[in-house]
Amino acid sequence: MSSSKFRDLSTGTKSLIIIEQILFVAALLLAVHLNGEYQIVDFIVVSDSYLIFYAVIFALLNQLSALALGLYNSKLRESFRGIFRRMLMCVSVGFCATTIINPLYGPYHLPIELLAIASSLSVFLVSTSRYFTFKIDFFGFGKRNILVLGSGQRASIIERRMRRDVDRQDFSVHGFVIMKGDSPDGIQRETKINLSESLVEYTLAHDIDEIVVANDERRNNLPVDELFACKIRGIEIIDILDFIERETGQIAVNLIYPSWVIYSNGFASNNYLRNTLDWIFNAGMALVLLLLTWPVMLITMLCMKITEGFNAPVFYKQERVGLDGEPFNIIKFRSMHLDAEKHGAQMASENDNRITKVGQFLRKYRIDELPQIWNVLHGNMGFVGPRPERPQFVQSLIKNVPYYNERHNVKPGLTGWAQLKYPYGATEADSLEKLKYDLYYIKHRSFLLDILILIRTVEIVLFGKGR
């Protein structure tokens, strides 16, 4: 899911969430019914209203687990076998969570055997549903038919960056209208339209649901009256920047113009209640994470000492740029050789030969980031935010990448939207791509988005997709 808001999801994704919630509820109710028929285990029978309440809680816990494992990501690239494996893990986590809260029901708690039966039925029902919805292209249901106003450089980002079917699950492109002032080397392969009739007549005749304004030259060149007429007839009008933001979860930095930033919603940082509670939330999460991961950190230190010698340092300090451009020292498990920067500072790449064998494992599962719990407790970082960069790189990036300094308006984090969406960046171009996601996070920053990012980070850690 590229958006964090339920109302912004496609009809197909919304329907999938609702259908699976019904199936999870049905699984628990069916398990109770089968137990009544065959007397598998003895338990105190509860009223129907309590039973439905238990079933809804069971469904929500399983769906939260499914979200963490990426099963509601509309662009998940997995075979059905891969989805089934995720579903097994999802229901296993849901079963564990249900058994933890089960004693809270008091004398009317459900037997663990019954919950196990309900979990098994959930795997069968939801997996069967998933199989048939993918077979009939369920996500294609409710696609928007869009017309792009423009065929130049601005419009070509749709052709270049959203060319695969998985990128267009929520919409289909009818065509690109040629506009005066458009660059001739824009759209190359897709349908270009030279309108010989009014825009209103054309959109109504071809059942257009949405018009994306993406022409290169806008001054005195937009058919404002016709766009107004389309709008009052129920056709959505959207700017190319907002369209890319909605569909990809990033902000196209190279297309930004100042008035868009001024008039767009978001980018607010003066949320005093959030700022007051921010450290309490992050410190609490850090302490919980420390309690859960100290054995992993202890094993990591032993492995590093064994493989590199007992005199080799375990931790690595490095200066980074934080909130408002203030420098601070980040603490990590050392994942590179001691002489990694003998030729000067350089960005890490995905297959960097400076990374040790233990370091490769640490990076893959994000274990090298665990010592940054200290930075969170100290207040230099939060759990979610843009990843902090080194001062040597920041100075260059601010000069060469537009709006790069805006990422320092929020506290840096252990994980972030860019880390979920983009791999390790080793070039200035990579930094530009990651900035698009960082600006999206800054614009839409909220507690719910932070929770979504933390949940999705669980998927990356569990499946070794470290970025």
Side-chain angles (χ1 to χ4, degrees):
M1 295 182 293
S2 58
S3 173
S4 61
K5 297 178 182 177
F6 183 80
R7 68 172 180 268
D8 294 334
L9 302 178
S10 68
T11 304
T13 307
K14 287 177 182 175
S15 301
L16 182 67
I17 293 171
I18 294 169
I19 288 169
E20 291 191 352
Q21 187 172 57
I22 293 170
L23 291 175
F24 280 118
V25 168
L28 184 62
L29 297 178
L30 182 58
V32 173
H33 175 73
L34 290 174
N35 186 72
E37 291 288 329
Y38 299 104
Q39 296 298 315
I40 303 169
V41 292
D42 294 325
F43 77 102
I44 300 173
V45 179
V46 298
S47 65
D48 290 344
S49 58
Y50 274 109
L51 192 57
I52 291 172
F53 172 73
Y54 294 167
V56 170
I57 297 298
F58 175 78
L60 290 175
L61 289 173
N62 276 282
Q63 288 197 291
L64 187 62
S65 174
L67 179 63
L69 296 174
L71 284 167
Y72 293 130
N73 181 2
S74 61
K75 297 181 180 180
L76 179 66
R77 297 176 181 87
E78 287 272 19
S79 63
F80 178 73
R81 182 179 296 177
I83 290 173
F84 182 72
R85 285 199 300 266
R86 288 177 183 245
M87 185 59 65
L88 284 174
M89 187 171 289
C90 153
V91 174
S92 299
V93 173
F95 173 74
C96 293
T98 307
T99 54
I100 289 171
I101 69 167
N102 194 39
L104 299 177
Y105 298 148
Y108 298 104
H109 70 275
L110 300 175
I112 292 178
E113 296 89 343
L114 198 61
L115 294 174
I117 294 170
S119 296
S120 301
L121 289 170
S122 296
V123 173
F124 174 75
L125 292 174
V126 178
S127 297
T128 303
S129 171
R130 283 281 178 136
Y131 179 79
F132 285 108
T133 53
F134 276 91
K135 279 289 183 183
I136 62 173
D137 190 23
F138 184 78
F139 283 120
F141 186 71
K143 274 189 175 183
R144 296 183 305 278
N145 186 24
I146 71 164
L147 179 69
V148 183
L149 205 63
S151 62
Q153 285 296 325
R154 295 178 75 85
S156 68
I157 195 170
I158 297 174
E159 182 182 66
R160 289 184 284 108
R161 300 299 297 272
M162 295 182 240
R163 61 186 182 277
R164 298 167 298 185
D165 291 339
V166 72
D167 298 320
R168 300 189 181 190
Q169 286 182 342
D170 296 334
F171 66 92
S172 57
V173 179
H174 175 78
F176 295 79
V177 178
I178 300 171
M179 299 288 290
K180 182 180 178 183
D182 282 344
S183 171
D185 56 352
I187 299 299
Q188 301 296 323
R189 296 178 300 277
E190 303 207 39
T191 304
K192 291 199 278 190
I193 301 166
N194 202 339
L195 279 184
S196 57
E197 55 192 305
S198 75
L199 182 63
V200 181
E201 291 174 355
Y202 188 88
T203 53
L204 294 175
H206 293 87
D207 296 320
I208 303 298
D209 299 310
E210 188 172 72
I211 296 174
V212 180
V213 179
N215 52 325
D216 288 343
E217 182 55 55
R218 298 194 177 195
R219 189 171 299 173
N220 301 321
N221 199 33
L222 273 180
V224 178
D225 292 339
E226 293 204 65
L227 288 173
F228 179 80
C230 290
K231 181 73 173 181
I232 63 174
R233 284 167 173 79
I235 299 167
E236 292 295 323
I237 313 295
I238 187 171
D239 185 83
I240 180 67
L241 275 164
D242 295 316
F243 177 77
I244 292 167
E245 179 184 340
R246 185 186 70 194
E247 297 300 327
T248 66
Q250 63 175 220
I251 292 176
V253 179
N254 48 322
L255 299 183
I256 288 180
Y257 41 91
S259 61
W260 179 84
V261 178
I262 293 169
Y263 291 115
S264 65
N265 295 322
F267 297 111
S269 59
N270 292 326
N271 188 328
Y272 298 108
L273 178 61
R274 178 193 170 94
N275 293 338
T276 302
L277 298 176
D278 189 60
W279 184 84
I280 298 173
F281 170 76
N282 283 293
M285 289 281 292
L287 289 172
V288 171
L289 186 61
L290 181 61
L291 290 172
L292 293 174
T293 60
W294 72 263
V296 176
M297 290 194 277
L298 181 60
I299 294 169
T300 299
M301 289 188 281
L302 288 174
C303 289
M304 293 177 71
K305 291 293 185 182
I306 291 169
T307 56
E308 298 188 53
F310 282 88
N311 292 325
V314 172
F315 298 107
Y316 179 62
K317 277 188 177 182
Q318 195 177 68
E319 191 177 42
R320 299 290 178 98
V321 177
L323 180 66
D324 296 328
E326 293 295 324
F328 71 99
N329 286 321
I330 201 172
I331 305 171
K332 301 175 71 173
F333 280 126
R334 184 174 55 82
S335 59
M336 291 188 176
H337 296 291
L338 292 172
D339 60 349
E341 296 197 334
K342 60 184 179 181
H343 300 300
Q346 53 183 296
M347 288 186 177
S349 58
E350 189 172 358
N351 297 310
D352 203 317
N353 57 14
R354 298 174 299 160
I355 301 173
T356 64
K357 288 184 179 180
V358 174
Q360 290 175 350
F361 182 84
L362 298 182
R363 286 181 174 236
K364 184 177 182 180
Y365 292 96
R366 295 280 184 92
I367 297 171
D368 63 319
E369 312 283 0
L370 288 177
Q372 291 169 51
I373 292 172
W374 164 251
N375 291 111
V376 175
L377 289 170
H378 196 260
N380 302 129
M381 297 175 64
F383 264 89
V384 180
R387 287 295 294 159
E389 282 291 357
R390 300 173 68 175
Q392 300 95 316
F393 303 139
V394 168
Q395 293 172 8
S396 172
L397 290 168
I398 289 174
K399 292 178 183 177
N400 300 322
V401 178
Y403 300 97
Y404 188 83
N405 209 27
E406 301 306 315
R407 71 197 301 275
H408 299 129
N409 289 334
V410 298
K411 193 179 290 186
L414 283 170
T415 185
W417 192 240
Q419 277 60 52
L420 295 179
K421 296 289 187 177
Y422 201 80
Y424 277 115
T427 65
E428 199 169 276
D430 289 328
S431 297
L432 175 61
E433 291 302 314
K434 292 177 79 171
L435 177 63
K436 294 176 182 179
Y437 293 110
D438 285 334
L439 289 180
Y440 178 91
Y441 169 75
I442 294 168
K443 182 181 179 185
H444 296 274
R445 185 171 175 244
S446 67
F447 180 73
L448 288 177
L449 180 57
D450 285 357
I451 294 296
L452 173 65
I453 291 170
L454 288 172
I455 290 173
R456 291 283 304 279
T457 302
V458 174
E459 176 194 354
I460 289 176
V461 173
L462 287 177
F463 290 96
K465 295 182 178 179
R467 293 169 180 249

